[in-house]
Amino acid sequence: MKKLDFESLKYYTGDEKPFQVLSQDGEVVDKDLMPDLTDEQLVDLFKEMIWSRVVGDRSTKLNRQGRLGFIAPTQGQEASEMASNYAMEKDDFLAGAYRDIPQLVKHGLPLAQAFMWSKGHYNGTKFPEELKALPPQIIIGAQYAQTAGIALGLKKKGTKNVAYSYTGDGGTSQGDFYEGINFAGAFHAPAVFIVQNNGYGISVPRAKQTAAPTLAQKGVAAGLPCFQVDGMDALAVYATVKQARDYAAEGNGPVLIETLTYRYGAHTLSGDDPSRYRSSDEEAEWHAKDPIERMRNFLTKKGLWTEEQENAYVDEVNAEVDAAVKELESQPAQTVSEMLKFEFVDAPATIQKQIKKYEEKEAK
């Protein structure tokens, strides 16, 4: 895999062609950018993408049944999310947003706990001690500021790890976005910032959010090397993020990457209707670029993947989801007194009074 010129990318103009390895048909179009992955790793990466699609589909159904709560669909963004996360290491620190649950699970959060988080159960954020991650951020763009601080901490510790984060195209219009990349750039902190440009900030098209020709070039003002990559191409995403991760880990400072991707579903399942602001022709155009179909074609042509393998693996993932749902639904209901106890380390007198009041009610 050819080495990317990070110094020249600090002057990214937006005229550069997005990095791409695979065509829509799964043919290799840039052998030089082809990542150094073994056949086993290629299959493993694809399985993570299928896992994400299946979990996304099942989560949508569970939400419609009232068995899950808040869901931000990820179908269509499997290459952007899974391939970027695959380039990271377990000791790298993830500070994601609410659409980054698949990465969080593959980074080490049990799926049942991810479902608990969706339901608003307090056990959903009782992360395993070894998990290097923050709970999903709901405030748009705030995770970028958190990531900058975490990255500075990693630098002070002298580790060879990075902090990495994601936001959507709408997140780049928030103040926290620029504050995060500017802080990380000024302190040369090891961070990888990923912008998943899926075309819309809820219902607002990207072109109406900002006059910038690309989102990647927003990092130039903060002195970051900036990349734009085909976010429906798992191999291009992996190749770019892997080099960016290693570049940042070696003490060279942060990197900003824009992935051009698309969400097939709604912004969230909490009332958004994409048919009100997206055309069927646009959706069909992006479905033709489907990241799973593209990777499937590539692996099938290499003799590494079959329909039988896929069917068997889908069954495995469905069984994993079933087990996670069973664990979710076995959790004790959260009480009002417990919720109040979690509000403060040292609860003030007024809260203590309320706790006592509800404990008495709950004991009856």
Side-chain angles (χ1 to χ4, degrees):
M1 181 171 64
K2 69 180 179 184
K3 294 289 185 181
L4 300 176
D5 185 355
F6 286 85
E7 286 305 308
S8 68
L9 287 163
K10 290 181 180 179
Y11 306 97
Y12 181 86
T13 65
D15 296 326
E16 294 83 352
K17 186 179 178 181
F19 291 139
Q20 185 183 51
V21 173
L22 297 178
S23 68
Q24 289 184 204
D25 298 326
E27 299 288 347
V28 176
V29 294
D30 189 343
K31 293 181 180 179
D32 291 337
L33 196 59
M34 185 73 183
D36 300 323
L37 291 171
T38 65
D39 288 349
E40 183 180 358
Q41 288 173 318
L42 289 169
V43 170
D44 188 44
L45 171 56
F46 184 51
K47 289 173 75 173
E48 292 202 358
M49 294 168 66
I50 293 175
W51 175 91
S52 182
R53 178 68 60 90
V54 174
V55 170
D57 290 344
R58 287 291 305 277
S59 296
T60 298
K61 293 174 183 176
L62 289 163
N63 170 274
R64 298 308 188 205
Q65 295 167 3
R67 299 168 77 186
L68 282 184
F70 180 82
I71 295 291
T74 59
Q75 294 94 317
Q77 296 187 207
E78 292 86 1
S80 176
E81 295 184 338
M82 294 291 92
S84 57
N85 194 69
Y86 199 77
M88 300 298 172
E89 298 185 1
K90 285 298 180 184
D91 284 333
D92 293 335
F93 205 107
L94 170 59
Y98 51 78
R99 204 178 305 280
D100 303 318
I101 307 303
Q103 302 97 298
L104 189 57
V105 172
K106 287 303 177 182
H107 200 55
L109 182 70
L111 181 59
Q113 281 191 266
F115 285 168
M116 291 175 207
W117 178 85
S118 170
K119 287 280 283 185
H121 197 287
Y122 59 86
N123 281 337
T125 51
K126 289 183 177 179
F127 283 9
E129 187 174 342
E130 66 276 9
L131 176 58
K132 304 293 193 303
L134 293 180
Q137 178 60 258
I138 294 294
I139 301 170
I140 306 300
Q143 66 275 15
Y144 265 42
Q146 291 175 315
T147 301
I150 295 165
L152 181 59
L154 293 174
K155 178 180 179 180
K156 287 178 138 333
K157 279 187 172 182
T159 68
K160 291 290 186 180
N161 294 105
V162 304
Y164 65 110
S165 187
Y166 301 81
T167 194
D169 40 294
T172 67
S173 298
Q174 295 291 108
D176 284 351
F177 166 81
Y178 181 73
E179 290 162 6
I181 64 174
N182 187 62
F183 183 96
F187 286 93
H188 229 54
V192 177
F193 297 105
I194 300 166
V195 177
Q196 297 196 90
N197 178 1
N198 63 26
Y200 294 86
I202 307 182
S203 60
V204 182
R206 193 209 72 81
K208 291 187 177 181
Q209 298 172 41
T210 176
T214 71
L215 302 180
Q217 69 196 83
K218 290 191 173 190
V220 172
L224 276 62
C226 306
F227 299 79
Q228 191 182 64
V229 60
D230 181 349
M232 308 298 268
D233 177 355
L235 298 187
V237 172
Y238 174 84
T240 306
V241 176
K242 179 65 168 67
Q243 289 204 42
R245 185 254 165 223
D246 293 346
Y247 172 89
E250 288 299 321
N252 296 302
V255 181
L256 179 70
I257 299 168
E258 176 188 4
T259 63
L260 300 174
T261 185
Y262 199 77
R263 57 170 166 83
Y264 292 158
H267 173 71
T268 72
L269 300 184
S270 302
D272 177 48
D273 178 6
S275 68
R276 298 182 65 184
Y277 55 86
R278 298 195 315 207
S279 69
S280 57
D281 287 344
E282 176 185 300
E283 292 183 349
E285 177 186 347
W286 280 95
H287 275 280
K289 302 175 183 178
D290 187 84
I292 288 182
E293 186 70 21
R294 189 181 301 197
M295 191 69 168
R296 180 189 292 124
N297 287 340
F298 170 71
L299 293 178
T300 301
K301 291 169 186 175
K302 285 177 66 69
L304 298 175
W305 194 252
T306 64
E307 184 178 356
E308 291 73 23
Q309 282 176 276
E310 186 158 336
N311 291 337
Y313 184 63
V314 168
D315 289 342
E316 284 183 37
V317 179
N318 276 312
E320 181 185 352
V321 173
D322 290 340
V325 172
K326 184 176 181 180
E327 184 176 346
L328 164 70
E329 295 180 341
S330 70
Q331 295 299 304
Q334 181 172 312
T335 64
V336 175
S337 64
E338 286 172 325
M339 181 189 71
L340 292 169
K341 288 175 183 177
F342 295 146
E343 292 295 315
F344 297 91
V345 174
D346 297 309
T350 53
I351 299 297
Q352 291 180 22
K353 185 177 179 180
Q354 291 179 47
I355 291 172
K356 183 177 180 181
K357 171 187 172 183
Y358 282 104
E359 283 180 332
E360 290 173 353
K361 284 187 176 182
E362 292 156 2
K364 293 178 181 179

